[in-house]
């Protein structure tokens, strides 16, 4: 793939043009909307794989055009299949573009990540409200909302579950890569995971009033998922623990059947970066260590991160084999 794109200078530009045409063309009244959106998602996936097959910064000069294509895709509402491919594209860019060139893209990535987590929280909260008023829920029951555009959307369908998984994988990658590789993300990570000495939303008294501190999204979602898992024992994944290691991805799933399967992911992230948890585990085997020993020689650290990056890319590569890998 890289050989073709490198030696035929027009091939990559042609692919960019096809993506742009697919996005700029209005939906034909006589064609299937889902089929056209699937085509757009597939073209975006091909473009992402092309960049993934290249060298670092090989297509850096096309980044403004690529960013425009991604933003145009995100403007389409209620299209989880297309948005899931955008999150995969984000992960590819983190691996194939130097940090200094991604500065303008980080606000978009963070905004979309927050939107998906808020959507997950909305569904989980809605399920909790329904069960409180109408009794126990039926496992697998889909929660349906009607948006302002009149479309009725089931946020528990497989397409939306794929979007939730894709968004979680972006956060997973951002936390697995060394901080110096993602300096811009370090300014936003407090919104997603509890930092050291973070009380994660404990009530405090200030000037005689009760105020609740901001809770990171993984803490909020973990709490809601634990409640949901108790109501659906057959979907309960709380007993499945994940071990966090620096430079390794937590999520190696390629599809999920329910949001409960993401509970182990949110559980470990809500605990592993909190110094109160890690300090208690210090000295025990398997205790989480945020980064390799700083006394290790610089060359050894380079070897460590080089191997870790290779393993990360192998996991990301398999995400392009949708329908081939059996889970």
């Amino acid at each position: 793939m890289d050989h073709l794109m490198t030696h035929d200078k027009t091939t990559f530009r042609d692919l960019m043009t096809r993506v742009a045409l697919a996005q700029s063309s209005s939906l034909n009244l006589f064609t299937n909307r889902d089929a056209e959106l699937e085509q757009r998602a597939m073209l975006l996936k091909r473009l992402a794989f092309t960049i993934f097959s290249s060298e670092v910064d090989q297509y850096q000069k096309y980044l403004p055009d690529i960013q425009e294509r991604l933003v145009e895709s995100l403007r389409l509402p209620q299209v989880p299949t297309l948005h899931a491919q955008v999150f995969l594209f984000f992960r590819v860019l983190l691996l194939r573009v130097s940090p200094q060139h991604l500065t303008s893209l980080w606000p978009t990535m963070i905004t979309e990540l927050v939107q998906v987590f808020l959507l997950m929280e909305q569904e989980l909260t809605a399920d909790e409200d329904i069960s409180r008023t109408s009794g126990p829920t039926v496992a697998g029951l889909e929660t349906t909302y009607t948006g302002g555009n009149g479309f009725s959307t089931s946020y528990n369908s497989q397409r939306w579950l794929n979007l939730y998984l894709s968004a979680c994988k972006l956060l997973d990658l951002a936390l697995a890569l060394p901080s110096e590789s993602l300096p811009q993300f370090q300014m936003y990570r407090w919104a997603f995971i509890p930092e050291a000495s973070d009380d994660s939303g404990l009530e405090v008294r200030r000037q005689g009033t009760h105020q609740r501190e901001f809770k990171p999204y993984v803490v909020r979602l973990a709490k809601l998922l634990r409640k949901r898992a108790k109501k659906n024992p057959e979907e309960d994944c709380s007993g499945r623990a994940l071990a966090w290691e620096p430079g390794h991805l937590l999520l190696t799933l390629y599809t999920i059947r329910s949001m409960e399967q993401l509970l182990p992911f949110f559980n470990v992230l809500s605990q592993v970066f909190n110094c109160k948890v890690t300090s208690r585990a210090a000295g025990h085997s398997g205790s989480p260590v945020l980064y390799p020993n700083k006394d290790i020689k610089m060359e050894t650290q380079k070897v460590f991160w080089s191997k870790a990056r290779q393993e990360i890319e192998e996991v990301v590569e398999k995400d392009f084999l949708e329908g081939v890998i059996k889970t």
Side-chain angles (χ1 to χ4, degrees):
M1 174 67 76
D2 183 46
H3 179 81
L4 173 64
M5 294 293 176
T6 303
H7 290 80
D8 188 348
K9 302 297 183 182
T10 63
T11 307
F12 184 79
R13 190 171 292 278
D14 289 344
L15 181 57
M16 287 283 295
T17 302
R18 289 184 64 190
V19 175
L21 288 174
Q23 292 177 334
S24 61
S25 61
S26 58
L27 291 173
N28 194 316
L29 294 176
F30 301 100
T31 60
N32 185 285
R33 181 178 185 271
D34 289 339
E36 187 165 347
L37 292 173
E38 287 283 353
Q39 183 184 16
R40 294 186 187 187
M42 186 55 63
L43 286 171
L44 208 59
K45 189 174 184 178
R46 290 178 183 175
L47 183 59
F49 184 71
T50 300
I51 297 175
F52 182 74
S53 304
S54 68
E55 300 296 327
V56 175
D57 287 336
Q58 181 174 333
Y59 295 109
Q60 181 269 325
K61 64 179 180 180
Y62 295 102
L63 194 57
D65 292 334
I66 292 171
Q67 184 171 346
E68 185 178 351
R69 301 288 86 79
L70 295 176
V71 172
E72 287 173 356
S73 298
L74 292 169
R75 287 195 185 119
L76 291 172
Q78 310 291 339
V79 192
T81 302
L82 185 59
H83 292 182
Q85 295 305 322
V86 172
F87 278 103
L88 175 60
F89 213 128
F90 285 155
R91 291 159 64 205
V92 169
L93 292 177
L94 293 186
L95 294 171
R96 288 293 178 267
V97 180
S98 298
Q100 65 269 23
H101 301 310
L102 291 176
T103 304
S104 62
L105 192 59
W106 270 109
T108 301
M109 287 192 282
I110 295 299
T111 299
E112 294 307 316
L113 199 55
V114 168
Q115 288 299 322
V116 172
F117 284 165
L118 286 174
L119 196 59
M120 295 173 67
E121 189 175 31
Q122 178 185 3
E123 182 195 336
L124 292 168
T125 304
D127 280 354
E128 187 177 359
D129 292 340
I130 292 173
S131 64
R132 189 181 297 118
T133 57
S134 60
T137 59
V138 179
L141 183 65
E142 294 185 349
T143 307
T144 304
Y145 305 93
T146 301
N149 55 8
F151 289 107
S152 181
T153 303
S154 173
Y155 289 145
N156 203 27
S157 68
Q158 188 58 53
R159 291 182 178 181
W160 288 98
L161 290 173
N162 292 340
L163 173 60
Y164 301 155
L165 178 60
S166 189
C168 289
K169 284 186 174 184
L170 175 62
L171 178 61
D172 190 20
L173 176 61
L175 294 172
L177 293 174
S179 57
E180 57 268 21
S181 297
L182 303 176
Q184 295 88 355
F185 174 70
Q186 309 313 312
M187 297 185 295
Y188 302 104
R189 57 180 288 160
W190 61 269
F192 301 101
I193 60 171
E195 298 288 357
S197 301
D198 183 5
D199 290 328
S200 302
L202 295 179
E203 287 188 357
V204 294
R205 290 181 177 271
R206 291 177 181 171
Q207 298 179 351
T209 62
H210 284 287
Q211 295 183 4
R212 182 167 293 277
E213 297 177 356
F214 174 80
K215 284 187 178 181
Y217 286 104
V218 299
V219 175
R220 290 149 56 176
L221 289 170
K223 181 179 179 180
L224 290 170
L225 282 169
R226 282 193 290 268
K227 290 182 179 179
R228 190 182 199 186
K230 289 180 180 178
K231 293 183 234 176
N232 301 324
E234 62 276 10
E235 296 288 346
D236 190 359
C237 298
S238 58
R240 178 172 170 260
L242 293 176
W244 190 88
E245 297 180 35
H248 291 77
L249 296 175
L250 288 168
L251 288 173
T252 56
L253 297 169
Y254 300 103
T255 185
I256 56 174
R257 300 182 308 276
S258 66
M259 270 205 288
E260 285 87 333
Q261 288 182 263
L262 294 173
L263 177 55
F265 171 71
F266 286 112
N267 272 340
V268 69
L269 289 187
S270 63
Q271 299 174 5
V272 73
F273 291 95
N274 192 320
C275 72
K276 294 181 180 180
V277 175
T278 55
S279 62
R280 286 196 298 266
H284 296 279
S285 59
S287 61
V289 181
L290 300 188
Y291 295 101
N293 192 327
K294 296 185 183 299
D295 294 332
I296 299 177
K297 293 180 180 179
M298 186 64 67
E299 190 64 30
T300 305
Q301 291 191 25
K302 288 181 179 179
V303 172
F304 171 85
W305 286 115
S306 177
K307 183 179 179 181
R309 191 181 184 91
Q310 182 180 354
E311 293 177 355
I312 288 173
E313 292 187 3
E314 289 175 358
V315 175
V316 175
E317 182 180 4
K318 292 179 182 178
D319 277 322
F320 288 100
L321 303 176
E322 184 179 356
V324 178
I325 297 179
K326 295 182 180 180
T327 56

